[in-house]
Amino acid sequence: MNTYAKTTLCLLAAVILLGTGYWAGNRYPLSGVRPWVQSSQPPLPGITIEGQAVSVVRGGFSWCSGSGSCSITDSAPLITILKNHKEPPVQVQPKAKIETHAPPGIKEFTMTRLEGSAGENPYEVPEQPGVYYYRIYCEWFSDQGNAEFGFVVEVREK
């Protein structure tokens, strides 16, 4: 076999391999790759207590929109934002359960009570009457971003 025939055969094999890879990649995308959420800011999580929707505020975040532009937004400490929030806190019964609804495309969702004790269940409001502040941290797949959110509840006497 001469050099020209070997070169032609190698090029043909390369085209077949590349074409097969392209076809298989488009037909069967990698399962670990997730599409980005199409939003200019991180979507808000949903919070419900005793059937009442709770107002959630967005704190600082790092976010890349689906169009490719990325931004980092700094904010005041979350406790400051929550204490200055104009909307009154939702009033709930002692020991009420907190239902969470994670935003789309989420990889990590962590909720804690600010100024709380270690070992407390953050998904249940305290028994003692008072105003309580909560923090939610969310992180999205494919390094799209992360954000801090917060909400306020008031536990009333039985």
Side-chain angles (χ1 to χ4, degrees), residues 48-108:
T48 309
I49 305 174
E50 298 177 333
Q52 300 178 76
V54 178
S55 175
V56 176
V57 297
R58 186 183 294 110
F61 62 86
S62 170
W63 187 253
C64 293
S65 69
S67 64
S69 64
C70 298
S71 64
I72 297 175
T73 302
D74 199 7
S75 71
L78 190 59
I79 191 76
T80 304
I81 294 171
L82 293 172
K83 286 184 176 183
N84 293 322
H85 190 52
K86 303 280 186 240
E87 200 170 314
V90 170
Q91 294 187 352
V92 297
Q93 294 291 323
K95 308 288 271 176
K97 304 290 185 232
I98 300 173
E99 295 178 41
T100 61
H101 312 280
I106 207 76
K107 176 171 79 173
E108 181 181 336

Side-chain angles (χ1 to χ4, degrees), residues 13-55:
V15 167
I16 290 171
L17 284 173
L18 288 173
T20 303
Y22 177 78
W23 174 81
N26 284 326
R27 185 170 174 132
Y28 306 104
L30 298 174
S31 61
V33 177
R34 296 178 185 243
W36 277 5
V37 175
Q38 299 297 313
S39 177
S40 61
Q41 293 184 341
L44 295 171
I47 301 295
T48 309
I49 305 174
E50 298 177 333
Q52 300 178 76
V54 178
S55 175

